[in-house]
Amino acid sequence: MADPAVRHRLPVRKLVAASAGNALEWFDWTIYATFSIYFASAFFPSGNDALAQINTFATYALAFFFRPLGGILLGRFADLRGRKPAMVLTIVMMAGGSALIGVLPTFEQVGWLAPIGLLLARIVQGLSLGGEVSNASAYLGEIAPDERRGRYSAFFYISTGTAVLTASVLGFTLARTLSEDAMNSWGWRLPFLLGGVLGLVGLWLRRSLAETELFEANKAKRVVNPLRTTLREHPRAVGQLIGFTMLSTLCYYTFFSALTPFAVKSRGVDAVEVFLALSIATAVFVALQYPMGALADRFGRKPQLLVWSAATAVLIVPLSTLVKPGFGNLLVVFTVGLGLYTAMTSIAPALMSELFPTELRGLGIGAWYNLTVAVFGGTAPLLISALSGAGAATAFFWYVAAGAAVSFAVVLTLPETRGTALR
């Protein structure tokens, strides 16, 4: 434990460099869902907007199933070669996929080559994000002092929230300044092209990072069959990671992805109001990260996680009834939902890093976190669209409530890891 009399100085440059790359990853990932209401008809046959939207989200969901593969391959790469080279590689892949989507021809121009090109770009991004979350989480966890791991971890979702906020503000600005015809024709391409350009900035920032001392101290350890080893030697950690990630990913993709097209297409809400409400709530989400990380460093991980999962189980269905025309309604939905979610996001990298030893951390998080996200997160926008089309949208929110109840039970089994040293 560090001497409390010595004032700690955050390594801001290092935290910003690590988190800026993550911000780009999530900006590129988020704009796909956010702007799908405009470009869905560009890549699929015209004449049935609902079917085009479902096909677009099916592509979104399919790309998620490449995240576990990316988590395994890039997580293993990070465990063998280092966190830094793995994080440089992921940002190149993500930015390249974003730029490709921005220049792809439409279905009208090249037929089925358009959705195939879209799918390939999303597969690259899925592989990239699968490695990004695990390796950035491991990096932040490993450079943090034991008693400040929550505070350091908060920068992960500060960057994520900032990226999502940027995407939302961009959506609000473009929807406000461009006509609907312009948005459907070419306006939706701008965010993807911007993502490609920002990739160069993120790459420059990440190249300045130093490797973590924990990796250097443990890089000589070579684990044979690492995926099997996580199950054989750390089954409890695997189960716990899956348990709390299930609700985390449902919260993320419900509030940041699924609700925007659901509100606009199924509930007749004005797109400008949705983007504005989400932007304000996301600013609150970002602002709460560091205080919540500090709170967890002082009082522990479990209390925050129990409050988050219990409150989500109780409130998600009542909140869903407020998704209707009226800016105040939307602001309550997004602010309450995302405010509660900060109890988890502020400490997610710390929580995951504390489950596995250094020689298995990249792959352990990458494989099981991304498999859970693929199953529950990738299908969320598709599921809510399908249920809405069948007139059973409320069932989706009961599904999230059930997931919250399961996660609450899993959190009860977690040991308290506040202030403990990483293995």
Side-chain angles (χ1 to χ4, degrees), residues 45-122:
S46 59
N48 190 330
D49 289 344
L51 182 60
Q53 189 73 38
I54 289 175
N55 286 333
T56 301
F57 276 136
T59 303
Y60 184 79
L62 185 60
F64 267 79
F65 286 91
F66 284 86
R67 286 185 59 168
L69 179 60
I72 292 171
L73 296 177
L74 293 169
R76 179 61 169 166
F77 179 75
D79 286 339
L80 292 175
R81 299 290 299 276
R83 314 307 186 203
K84 176 185 173 179
M87 292 195 296
V88 168
L89 179 58
T90 58
I91 202 169
V92 171
M93 293 170 65
M94 179 62 74
S98 180
L100 177 59
I101 294 174
V103 300
L104 276 176
T106 65
F107 186 90
E108 187 176 299
Q109 294 170 322
V110 297
W112 287 102
L113 289 177
I116 291 173
L118 177 66
L119 179 60
L120 290 176
R122 292 295 298 160

Side-chain angles (χ1 to χ4, degrees), residues 143-316:
I143 65 172
D146 297 336
E147 72 279 3
R148 293 179 178 270
R149 198 171 297 121
R151 294 172 177 86
Y152 277 53
S153 294
F155 278 81
F156 187 91
Y157 273 94
I158 288 175
S159 68
T160 300
T162 301
V164 174
L165 178 59
T166 302
S168 299
V169 170
L170 190 57
F172 171 74
T173 303
L174 292 177
R176 191 75 178 267
T177 58
L178 297 179
S179 66
E180 187 170 350
D181 287 343
M183 286 295 294
N184 290 328
S185 177
W186 57 269
W188 62 266
R189 294 183 183 273
L190 298 178
F192 292 101
L193 295 174
L194 177 61
V197 172
L198 291 176
L200 297 176
V201 178
L203 179 62
W204 176 76
L205 287 170
R206 285 202 159 170
R207 285 175 64 87
S208 69
L209 290 174
E211 190 53 75
T212 71
E213 293 180 6
L214 260 177
F215 172 78
E216 294 290 357
N218 289 273
K219 66 182 180 180
K221 298 179 181 178
R222 300 287 170 141
V223 179
V224 179
N225 296 321
L227 188 61
R228 186 186 305 169
T229 300
T230 62
L231 288 172
R232 185 178 64 246
E233 298 184 8
H234 307 281
R236 186 180 181 88
V238 170
Q240 290 166 337
L241 178 60
I242 291 172
F244 61 69
T245 299
M246 174 181 62
L247 178 57
S248 180
T249 195
L250 281 174
C251 286
Y252 185 94
Y253 289 100
T254 295
F255 290 103
F256 283 127
S257 297
L259 279 184
T260 296
F262 168 71
V264 174
K265 296 291 186 180
S266 300
R267 294 290 175 86
V269 178
D270 181 66
V272 173
E273 287 192 343
V274 176
F275 282 130
L276 181 57
L278 178 57
S279 298
I280 294 172
T282 303
V284 174
F285 175 81
V286 171
L288 288 175
Q289 295 300 322
Y290 191 83
M292 294 299 287
L295 202 65
D297 281 337
R298 183 170 184 180
F299 297 108
R301 317 315 192 201
K302 286 184 70 170
Q304 288 192 189
L305 297 176
L306 290 171
V307 169
W308 159 64
S309 53
T312 301
V314 171
L315 295 177
I316 188 65

